[in-house]
């Protein structure tokens, strides 16, 4: 192998520098240079010249002639995890599981590994953050006293790869990818260069040997930098933990999955004995008010394939000269847009008010069908009047003040009715053909219609 040397590549423009600089000399972007290795021959202009002569051409196949094989999946035994994985661990598949520190990544993965080991797979858990004894302690706490999962406390990539080569496990976990380092790079473990390099080696190993790989990644305070985000494009499946570390519930969401559906979520409760599946999660994001309170509207949202009810809270309060708009669990730009639509199309003005909105329970809601519930919560807080008891809403709102349909409206209404909700404001296009027992449905076409309807109800 040719001797490797270190250089720095700009992540924006691909410009190359021999030493690290704060600013890229080619595109003037700041902090974009990351360490990488090259053969000491260097990336010269003629690097690829005459290369065609060096190796025989590869075989090409016509798409229709290739036999399509269904991927082999092994369930982990954690049904909510299997749901987000699309059925289980896939041979040679690479899964990235990200989340805040302390949210339960190591716990869930250890439980899943034990399940796989029990179903006859050879598993290896590589820990870079904790000692083997700490992992053993956790397994006792989880009630996995007889666990046959093999544990390796190691952070050097070359040694890990050599161990994998020797043991030939069916599944390898790297907890966490930020602790691994390769001897080939001089930068510190956890840096973008190390994280990328190590993950790409592990991915290549997975593809060439058929070993499934699970990479655990912390979402760092700085957000994107050196966090799991830089790896998303390399792996087959990306799962993120959501939810508040202070609450019991944890959500695991698939945001990319080459072997299954995206946006599917798994719901767990953190207990004394690890994470337990919550199989009927539709009502966990509702807070218990004895009486209806102003500024609260229940939204029926669709998470993956399941309808869920989430309480949206709004607080509108007189603000200073530059009023604040803050959102937790909802998109802030979308909030600004909804306030503009409320003003322009329904005459509800919040210009001189601070507006805070929150999705209860730390759940993140990205679907536009939340719009109507957010608006009605804001209006309710502004008026200081609660929405009626047993009230739900969903529907997307457009800039022209129209209320657009949400996917699978019937299912949402049925789930809400099942949980005892009795009044719904929904888009006209979602109006049910047959009445839903126990539920009064108001179908609206425009925002002002929804606003005046709610005024007449309260
Ligand atoms: P952990 O899996 O270590 O989080 P991560 O790997 O994402 O950093 O666990 C996080 C928290 O969960 C920790 O504060 C302790 C708590 N916990 C329980 O409540 N019950 C349990 O059975 C276990 C193992 C952990
Ligand atoms: Mg951990």
């Amino acid at each position: 192998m040719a001797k490797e040397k270190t250089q720095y590549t700009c992540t924006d423009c691909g410009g190359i520098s021999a030493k690290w600089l704060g600013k890229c000399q080619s595109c003037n972007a700041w902090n974009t240079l990351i360490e990488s290795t090259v053969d000491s021959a260097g990336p010269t202009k003629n690097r690829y010249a005459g290369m065609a002569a060096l190796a025989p051409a590869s075989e090409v196949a016509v798409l229709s002639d290739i036999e399509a094989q269904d991927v082999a999946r092994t369930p982990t035994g954690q049904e909510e995890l299997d749901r987000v994985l699309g059925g289980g661990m896939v041979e040679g598949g690479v899964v990235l599981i990200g989340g805040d520190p302390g949210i339960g990544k190591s716990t869930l993965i250890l439980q899943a590994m034990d399940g796989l080991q029990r179903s006859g797979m050879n598993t290896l858990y590589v820990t870079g953050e904790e000692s083997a004894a700490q992992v053993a302690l956790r397994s006792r706490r989880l009630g996995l006293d007889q666990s046959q999962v093999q544990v390796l406390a190691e952070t050097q990539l070359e040694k890990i790869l050599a161990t994998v080569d020797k043991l030939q496990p069916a599944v390898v976990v790297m907890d966490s990818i930020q602790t691994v380092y390769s001897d080939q790079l001089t930068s510190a473990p956890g840096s973008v260069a190390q994280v990328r390099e190590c993950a790409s080696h592990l991915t290549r190993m997975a593809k060439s040997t058929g070993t499934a790989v699970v990479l655990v990644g912390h979402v760092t305070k700085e957000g994107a930098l050196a966090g799991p985000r830089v790896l998303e494009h390399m792996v087959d499946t990306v799962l993120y933990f959501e939810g508040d570390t202070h609450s019991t519930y944890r959500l695991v969401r698939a945001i990319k999955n080459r072997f299954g559906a995206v946006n599917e979520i798994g719901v767990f409760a953190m207990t004394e004995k690890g994470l337990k599946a919550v199989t009927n999660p539709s009502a966990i994001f509702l807070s218990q008010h004895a009486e209806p309170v102003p500024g609260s509207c229940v939204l029926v949202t669709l998470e993956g394939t399941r309808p869920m009810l989430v309480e949206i809270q709004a607080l509108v309060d007189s603000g200073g000269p530059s009023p604040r708009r803050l959102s937790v669990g909802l998109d802030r730009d979308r909030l600004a847009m909804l306030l503009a639509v409320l003003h322009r199309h329904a005459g509800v003005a919040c210009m001189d008010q601070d507006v805070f909105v929150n999705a209860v329970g730390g759940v993140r809601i990205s679907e536009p069908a939340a719009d109507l519930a957010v608006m009605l919560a804001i209006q309710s807080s502004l008026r200081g009047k609660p929405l009626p008891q047993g009230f739900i809403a969903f529907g997307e709102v457009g800039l022209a003040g129209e209320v657009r349909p949400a996917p699978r409206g019937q299912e949402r209404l049925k789930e809400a009715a099942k949980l005892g909700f009795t009044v719904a404001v929904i888009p006209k296009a979602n109006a049910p053909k047959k009445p839903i027992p126990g539920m009064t449905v108001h179908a609206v076409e425009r925002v002002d219609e929804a606003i005046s309807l709610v005024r007449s109800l309260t």
Side-chain angles (χ1 to χ4, degrees), residues 100-107 138 141-142 270-274:
D100 292 331
I103 198 144
K105 301 180 292 297
S106 305
T107 306
R138 176 182 284 124
R141 183 171 175 190
L142 297 171
M270 180 60 96
T271 68
E272 267 307 295
K273 289 196 152 223

Side-chain angles (χ1 to χ4, degrees), residues 202-216:
L202 289 164
T203 307
R204 250 174 283 155
M205 182 273 289
K207 299 300 163 199
S208 63
T209 62
T211 301
V213 171
V214 180
L215 305 175
V216 176

Side-chain angles (χ1 to χ4, degrees), residues 295 312-328 330-340 342-343 348-359 371 373-383:
I312 304 292
Q313 297 184 330
L315 179 67
V316 181
D317 195 22
S318 58
S322 52
R324 284 184 290 173
R325 277 89 179 78
L326 281 179
S327 64
V328 180
L330 293 149
D331 184 35
R332 197 153 72 130
D333 293 337
R334 192 111 197 144
L335 171 63
M337 188 196 98
L338 291 177
L339 289 172
L342 256 182
H343 179 222
V348 178
C350 304
M351 266 98 74
D352 51 355
Q353 309 277 326
D354 285 340
V355 180
F356 306 97
V357 293
N358 173 34
D371 293 351
V374 174
M375 276 192 167
L376 295 178
I378 292 171
Q379 184 211 15
S380 159
S381 175
L382 191 66
R383 294 174 73 215

